[in-house]
Amino acid sequence: MYTTKNFKTKKALKEAVAAGQQITCYSPGPFPCPTDGKISLEGPHYPAPHTWYASATLVGGVIVKVS
């Protein structure tokens, strides 16, 4: 899954979440993105090669924790 904003690094994503930004995610494939629970993220967006991977926790469709 991808974040709606195309973060170039995992560090930038963590900083945005820590700063209180409401970051959401989406699934480019046929499976919908859940609104609650743990998900796996990758970035940056295709067609750029993926250089980071992360686990995130969603609450109400918004990322609240990144690890």
Side-chain angles (χ1 to χ4, degrees):
M1 287 183 223
Y2 296 121
T3 56
T4 49
K5 182 177 177 187
N6 191 10
F7 291 97
K8 301 299 180 194
T9 64
K10 181 177 170 180
K11 180 182 176 186
L13 170 60
K14 284 183 164 187
E15 289 172 351
V17 171
Q21 293 183 24
Q22 291 201 353
I23 309 298
T24 58
C25 64
Y26 71 95
S27 176
F31 304 105
C33 185
T35 56
D36 294 296
K38 288 199 171 249
I39 61 166
S40 297
L41 295 169
E42 56 191 9
H45 295 177
Y46 179 83
H50 298 142
T51 56
W52 62 265
Y53 299 88
S55 294
T57 303
L58 294 172
V59 175
V62 177
I63 297 172
V64 294
K65 182 180 177 186
V66 178
S67 56

